[in-house]
């Protein structure tokens, strides 16, 4: 089985509003993310979010062709992911972990990332860094240092893994008392490399202006 854990337990403080309940072309952002994984052929989707967000995004009353369920999150992102993994069906072999605030992910992008994970065990959506990079001092002034962007990638989600591999990685993280910001970092702690997959526009809604940009991309993509 190929299943998904969608992480949507954060408070959205930087956005200043509940970005996951905000509408993207008339549909809540979180619902857009769930719809993409259902369309990609996932056998089950676990959404990690508080009950009030489950209600406000319409997921509590929505109908899907596959099981879409909710669990509470934890204090940190890795705690929320762990809660989602525990709620997966026992037959799960491949799992995608996705930030609910990335509603532009497509079913085709999910399938491409999943296929890469089936081949090598671990894959993640990402994009090559194209901006000029500068390092700053403690006063936020640029330093005269050339920072190469060769082989640098910006990480995205979904990040897809063989479930047993990700479970073992998180055991390693807990045993070492590590804090990780994504699943790629967790499997790296267990000595496993991740294949990076470029899938197109896949921005995260973080700041207020991001929603308007996402709406523009949504309406103009094929």
């Amino acid at each position: 089985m190929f299943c998904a854990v969608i992480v949507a337990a954060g408070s959205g403080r930087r956005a200043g509003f509940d970005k996951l309940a905000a509408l993207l072309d008339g549909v809540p952002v979180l619902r857009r993310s769930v719809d993409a994984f259902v369309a990609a052929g996932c056998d089950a989707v676990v959404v990690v979010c508080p009950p009030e967000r489950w209600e406000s995004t319409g997921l509590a009353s929505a109908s899907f062709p596959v099981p879409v369920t909710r669990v509470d999150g934890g204090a940190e992102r890795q705690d929320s992911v762990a809660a989602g993994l525990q709620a997966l069906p026992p037959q799960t072999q491949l799992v995608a972990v996705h930030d609910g605030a990335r509603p532009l992910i497509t079913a085709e992008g999910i399938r491409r990332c999943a296929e890469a994970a089936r081949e090598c065990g671990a894959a993640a959506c990402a994009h090559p860094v194209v901006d000029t990079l500068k390092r700053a001092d403690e006063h936020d002034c640029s330093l005269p240092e050339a920072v190469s962007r060769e082989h640098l990638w910006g990480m995205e989600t979904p990040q897809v893994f063989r479930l047993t591999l990700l479970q073992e990685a998180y055991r390693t993280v807990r045993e070492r008392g590590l804090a990780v910001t994504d699943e790629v970092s967790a499997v790296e702690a267990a000595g496993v490399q991740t294949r990076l997959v470029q899938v197109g526009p896949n921005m995260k809604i973080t700041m207020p202006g991001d929603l308007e940009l996402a709406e523009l991309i949504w309406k103009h993509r094929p």
Side-chain angles (χ1 to χ4, degrees):
M1 293 180 69
F2 172 41
C3 300
V5 171
I6 298 182
V7 185
S11 64
R13 286 188 298 269
R14 282 182 291 178
F17 60 97
D18 189 349
K19 60 189 180 183
L20 291 154
L23 299 183
L24 175 59
D25 199 23
V27 176
V29 165
L30 181 54
R31 174 65 188 263
R32 290 290 188 195
S33 293
V34 173
D35 285 345
F37 283 86
V38 173
C42 278
D43 298 293
V45 178
V46 176
V47 181
V48 186
C49 72
E52 55 270 24
R53 183 167 289 151
W54 184 248
E55 295 284 345
S56 66
T57 55
L59 290 171
S61 57
S63 177
F64 297 96
V66 297
V68 177
T69 56
R70 185 202 72 84
V71 296
D72 289 326
E76 303 294 339
R77 185 184 185 279
Q78 65 193 59
D79 302 319
S80 294
V81 173
L85 295 179
Q86 290 176 355
L88 291 172
Q91 303 91 344
T92 304
Q93 296 175 311
L94 199 70
V95 59
V97 180
H98 184 65
D99 290 327
R102 289 189 186 272
L104 297 181
I105 188 62
T106 64
E108 176 59 25
I110 294 167
R111 286 191 288 262
R112 286 181 52 207
C113 195
E115 184 57 35
R118 287 189 183 97
E119 293 176 5
C120 60
C125 294
H127 60 272
V129 172
V130 296
D131 294 325
T132 296
L133 300 177
K134 296 297 295 182
R135 199 180 308 278
D137 62 18
E138 65 274 17
H139 305 294
D140 294 334
C141 293
S142 64
L143 296 172
E145 175 186 353
V147 181
S148 174
R149 62 192 177 203
E150 187 177 7
H151 304 307
L152 288 183
W153 290 66
M155 299 307 299
E156 302 171 359
T157 65
Q159 299 180 358
V160 187
F161 308 89
R162 294 186 189 124
L163 179 57
T164 53
L165 187 159
L166 187 57
Q167 289 171 328
E168 179 59 33
Y170 267 113
R171 275 193 289 271
T172 300
V173 166
R174 288 193 299 271
E175 290 169 0
R176 296 182 184 176
L178 302 177
V180 295
T181 56
D182 68 355
E183 286 56 60
V184 170
S185 300
V187 298
E188 284 175 345
V192 177
Q193 289 184 307
T194 299
R195 182 177 297 172
L196 304 182
V197 181
Q198 190 172 4
V199 297
N202 186 23
M203 64 179 292
K204 185 176 182 180
I205 309 299
T206 303
M207 307 301 289
D210 294 341
L211 190 60
E212 287 77 10
L213 178 57
E215 181 114 10
L216 184 64
I217 296 171
W218 180 273
K219 289 182 175 180
H220 288 83
R221 68 182 184 181

